[in-house]
Amino acid sequence: MPRWVAAVLSATALAALIAFGYLMRQMSAITAGLAAHEEIRAALRTSLGDQKQLARLDPANRDRYRTRFEQFRTLQQRLDVVHMTGVQMTRTLVYALTSLVAVAMAMAVGSYFIVRRDREQRLARIRSALAELSTGRSGITLDDHRRDSIGTIASMIEETSRVIAGDRKTIQYLEHLSAWQEAARRHAHEIRTPLTAARMEIEDVIARATVLAPLAEDEFARRRRSIIEELDRLRDFTTQYTSFARVGKPSLARMDLRSFVSDFCIVFRNAWPNLTLVSPNGSSPCLVAADGEMLRQVLVNLCSNSSLALGKTAGAVTFSISAHRGQVCLDVADDGPGVDAAIVSRLFQPYVTTRTIGEGMGLGLAISKRILLDHGGDLQLIDSAAGARFRLTLPAAANEHA
Amino acid sequence: MSRHALLAVALAVQFSVPLLAQVPRVTTRAGAMRVSLPRAVLVREDVRRQLTNGLTTVFTIGVTTSAGARRARVEIRYELWEEKYLAEVYEATGRRSADLADFERLLKWWEQLTLLFAGNAGVGEADVTIDVLPFSAREAADVQKWLAGSMTKAQAASGLAKNLPDPAQESSNFFDILIGTSMKRKPIVEMHWKVPIVAEGR
């Protein structure tokens, strides 16, 4: 606000205050003057004399005249006191009311400046946060949650910062995963070609050797089986590489996740002898857009991991569904030993596993997370007091009838 | 005695009596202090006019000596119906009252009035003050209650107030407090003397 405007407002407020005090004084003086007007008091004095005169002339009603006399006398005395103290009362009233108004005005002005200063400080913090956001910084917190427009803007900046941080993390993960997939594709290609050639050469060598030495046919057959077994193992290894490298794009279709998981629990109830699958509670549909085949692959992978972690112990995998802010969450929790703390931070990276060599390549969770990311959701390990709890997040599909 | 001497004594008496009547007299005897009031207070035109208006005129007497400060009070009201003066004295020994038919009798009673204060007067001089207040504290409280009740009735008539207080009871609202604190009894006359303390025989 320009200084001249503030000066004009202050002068106006002061003039208003003085005018108020003057008017109050005039009004109070008029009121007090009316209350103790000399004509009224003189009339009362005359009335007192009249009552005494009447009492003398009409002794039978003396008491009645006495009572009236006392009433007039009391009123006259009250007006006399008001007359004597009117100026005092007027002055006190004017001072008191003018002081009240002055205090109210001072508080209003003070409040205005305090509110203005507070708003300027909040706006300065907003400006600073916006500058940081424009440089791509994430994790911005403003701690301004008041229910006004500035508080709303602060919340939006914080939310945007969180989304940027999440997106950046996802992008980094996908870039990293893409690099691993490309490497896997090349390795699979480099291995597959000589593998096929080696298999053909071995078949040819064994066939020729059998012709040349028919007596050693059994020995040749045994050696052939052994070599082919190893080549098949290498082929299976390459196949896993290939499936990791060729995770396809999901073919989305609208589905009720709750009934999908319930069906899964029924169909796969005997797939893992040491596992009991517990369906999610509730009956209301949770609509999502997802590729059923890929989703099933993810659930199979999670249940397989749980079964392996439990080993010979029997356990349960419990499914639960919740919806929040346009997303549907499917929690898959087991009561096994939980995830080794040493690998939690790298759990979804390719080739991360606690199993011994030959028991899996550690690609299942990386493939599962890629599938969920391609669905526009995510796969996360959630803190759990016991066992392992994974959360699949999928965007909710709009209700047909909405 | 010669004629000149007699004339001198007569003149002295004539002038000393009025002089004595102008100042209070403070005496001490048997461990108590007594104060006589000057008629000059009562014969003042403004005081005499105040005495006849029907309100209670209050005379507060303060005496300060080397032994401390003490106070007494005399209230005089003119009863308009019976046309007589009602006087009440509040002092150390308690309260006493008198009915006086006219102003002359009142003046005589005033001159004969001796206020008793407990405790020794000390020695030296006494500061005596007399303040004349135009109405009593009881009359001030009555007017305060009357004004508060008038405001309540005015609010009721205009429909502004809800849950009106009983006008007969003392109101504690803002204006009632304002009236109470501003209705101070300002003295119409303030008089002050410094007089010697006279020790009377036992």
Side-chain angles (χ1 to χ4, degrees):
Chain A
M1 181 193 294
R3 283 177 192 250
W4 68 268
V5 173
V8 166
L9 284 175
S10 301
T12 307
L14 186 62
L17 195 63
I18 293 170
F20 174 77
Y22 175 74
L23 284 171
M24 278 302 306
R25 188 169 178 168
Q26 295 304 313
M27 284 177 61
S28 300
I30 291 169
T31 308
L34 279 173
H37 201 282
E38 183 51 40
E39 286 183 19
I40 298 172
R41 291 189 294 134
L44 281 169
R45 280 194 292 273
T46 306
S47 300
L48 290 176
D50 290 343
Q51 297 305 313
K52 284 172 74 172
Q53 183 76 358
L54 285 167
R56 277 196 285 273
L57 294 171
D58 182 14
N61 291 306
R62 182 187 167 84
D63 289 342
R64 184 154 60 94
Y65 296 128
R66 177 72 193 263
T67 303
R68 204 170 293 168
F69 177 90
E70 290 301 328
Q71 287 171 349
F72 286 141
R73 183 189 68 82
T74 302
L75 184 57
Q76 185 209 8
Q77 285 178 354
R78 285 170 174 169
L79 291 181
D80 281 344
V81 171
V82 169
H83 175 69
M84 285 181 220
T85 57
V87 172
Q88 239 175 278
M89 280 198 287
T90 300
R91 194 179 299 141
T92 305
L93 183 66
V94 168
Y95 286 165
L97 290 176
T98 307
S99 301
L100 272 175
V101 171
V103 166
M105 289 172 73
M107 285 177 69
V109 169
S111 298
Y112 164 75
F113 282 109
I114 289 170
V115 167
R116 188 178 132 177
R117 186 158 164 262
D118 175 66
R119 182 171 292 154
E120 282 172 0
Q121 285 175 345
R122 291 169 75 198
L123 284 172
R125 284 197 293 270
I126 295 279
R127 272 195 291 273
S128 174
L130 280 171
E132 287 179 8
L133 198 64
S134 68
T135 63
R137 195 183 149 221
S138 59
I140 297 171
T141 53
L142 283 165
D143 290 327
D144 187 336
H145 304 295
R146 290 189 225 176
R147 294 184 184 183
D148 57 7
S149 51
I150 297 178
T152 304
I153 292 170
S155 298
M156 287 166 70
I157 291 175
E158 285 180 346
E159 179 67 25
T160 305
S161 169
R162 275 194 295 272
V163 168
I164 288 174
D167 286 349
R168 191 170 291 158
K169 206 172 163 185
T170 303
I171 290 169
Q172 280 175 353
Y173 175 80
L174 287 173
E175 284 173 353
H176 186 68
L177 194 65
S178 291
W180 278 106
Q181 283 178 312
E182 178 61 21
R185 189 184 68 77
R186 288 179 184 278
H187 291 150
H189 177 74
E190 292 301 320
I191 293 171
R192 195 179 304 116
T193 306
L195 197 61
T196 307
R199 194 188 177 96
M200 288 171 57
E201 291 296 326
I202 287 296
E203 295 282 7
D204 190 45
V205 164
I206 295 294
R208 287 176 186 267
T210 304
V211 169
L212 292 174
L215 291 176
E217 186 178 353
D218 291 341
E219 179 64 17
F220 287 139
R222 191 175 61 79
R223 293 296 176 96
R224 177 188 165 281
R225 274 196 301 277
S226 174
I227 293 169
I228 294 298
E229 271 179 22
E230 294 301 318
L231 289 177
D232 283 345
R233 215 158 58 82
L234 206 53
R235 184 195 59 193
D236 292 341
F237 174 80
T238 310
T239 303
Q240 288 188 49
Y241 256 125
T242 307
S243 9
F244 171 59
R246 289 182 186 169
V247 176
K249 291 295 174 194
S251 188
L252 300 179
R254 211 137 164 268
M255 61 193 293
D256 175 10
L257 186 63
R258 197 184 298 279
S259 68
F260 174 84
V261 175
S262 298
D263 291 344
F264 176 87
C265 291
I266 294 169
V267 170
F268 286 85
R269 66 180 179 277
N270 296 320
W272 300 277
N274 63 340
L275 274 190
T276 303
L277 304 183
V278 180
S279 298
N281 290 329
S283 58
S284 56
C286 288
L287 297 175
V288 297
D291 184 319
E293 194 57 42
M294 286 188 164
L295 210 55
R296 193 172 295 114
Q297 184 182 346
V298 172
L299 296 183
V300 166
N301 174 252
L302 293 176
C303 290
S304 297
N305 287 346
S306 295
S307 177
L308 284 168
L310 281 162
K312 293 180 183 173
T313 315
V317 170
T318 307
F319 297 90
S320 56
I321 296 176
S322 60
H324 180 63
R325 291 172 82 175
Q327 294 195 312
V328 176
C329 299
L330 169 62
D331 282 15
V332 182
D334 66 32
D335 48 9
V339 177
D340 189 345
I343 63 168
V344 163
S345 60
R346 300 176 293 120
L347 189 63
F348 295 100
Q349 290 179 13
Y351 311 112
V352 172
T353 180
T354 55
R355 294 178 210 146
T356 54
I357 294 173
E359 288 188 357
M361 294 173 62
L363 294 174
L365 284 178
I367 293 172
S368 298
K369 187 169 176 86
R370 175 63 192 253
I371 289 172
L372 268 298
L373 286 173
D374 286 343
H375 275 75
D378 201 356
L379 175 64
Q380 295 164 303
L381 176 68
I382 302 296
D383 286 339
S384 178
R389 175 185 282 271
F390 287 89
R391 177 165 291 167
L392 290 72
T393 308
L394 291 161
N399 197 330
E400 257 178 359
H401 303 292
Chain B
M1 193 181 278
S2 67
R3 280 180 65 189
H4 294 296
L6 276 172
L7 185 61
V9 167
L11 282 172
V13 167
Q14 187 173 356
F15 282 111
S16 66
V17 165
L19 279 174
L20 282 173
Q22 302 297 321
V23 299
R25 189 160 181 268
V26 179
T27 58
T28 176
R29 185 177 67 190
M33 181 173 68
R34 289 170 175 75
V35 177
S36 303
L37 303 175
R39 66 180 273 144
V41 176
L42 225 53
V43 300
R44 285 174 64 114
E45 189 53 43
D46 46 4
V47 175
R48 191 166 175 172
R49 195 168 50 242
Q50 179 66 33
L51 283 170
T52 55
N53 68 4
L55 288 169
T56 305
T57 306
V58 179
F59 300 83
T60 59
I61 300 98
V63 182
T64 308
T65 66
S66 59
R70 278 157 278 194
R71 302 188 75 81
R73 191 167 86 243
V74 177
E75 294 186 356
I76 299 174
R77 184 171 71 84
Y78 184 66
E79 171 47 56
L80 292 165
W81 180 266
E82 293 173 15
E83 295 177 358
K84 63 178 179 181
Y85 290 91
L86 306 174
E88 295 206 2
V89 179
Y90 299 86
E91 55 185 346
T93 51
R95 194 179 97 175
R96 48 190 162 119
S97 53
D99 289 2
L100 305 137
D102 53 39
F103 184 77
E104 289 308 316
R105 287 185 173 79
L106 174 67
L107 197 55
K108 195 171 175 186
W109 171 85
W110 177 268
E111 288 171 323
Q112 291 171 349
L113 179 65
T114 304
L115 298 172
L116 186 66
F117 294 86
N120 211 324
V123 294
E125 286 186 322
D127 277 321
V128 180
T129 59
I130 297 181
D131 294 342
V132 182
L133 303 173
F135 49 88
S136 67
R138 194 167 52 249
E139 285 161 350
D142 172 68
V143 171
Q144 182 182 345
K145 198 183 293 185
W146 177 63
L147 285 174
S150 303
M151 274 189 220
T152 307
K153 283 173 190 165
Q155 284 177 346
S158 66
L160 286 175
K162 298 174 189 173
N163 300 325
L164 298 173
D166 181 0
Q169 292 178 1
E170 196 128 352
S171 170
S172 60
N173 62 39
F174 169 72
F175 284 101
D176 187 53
I177 296 168
L178 201 62
I179 293 165
T181 53
S182 63
M183 194 176 287
K184 290 187 176 20
R185 295 181 295 157
K186 201 176 166 189
I188 57 173
V189 173
E190 289 171 292
M191 304 171 103
H192 173 242
W193 301 269
K194 230 178 180 49
V195 296
I197 300 171
V198 176
E200 290 182 343
R202 294 192 176 89

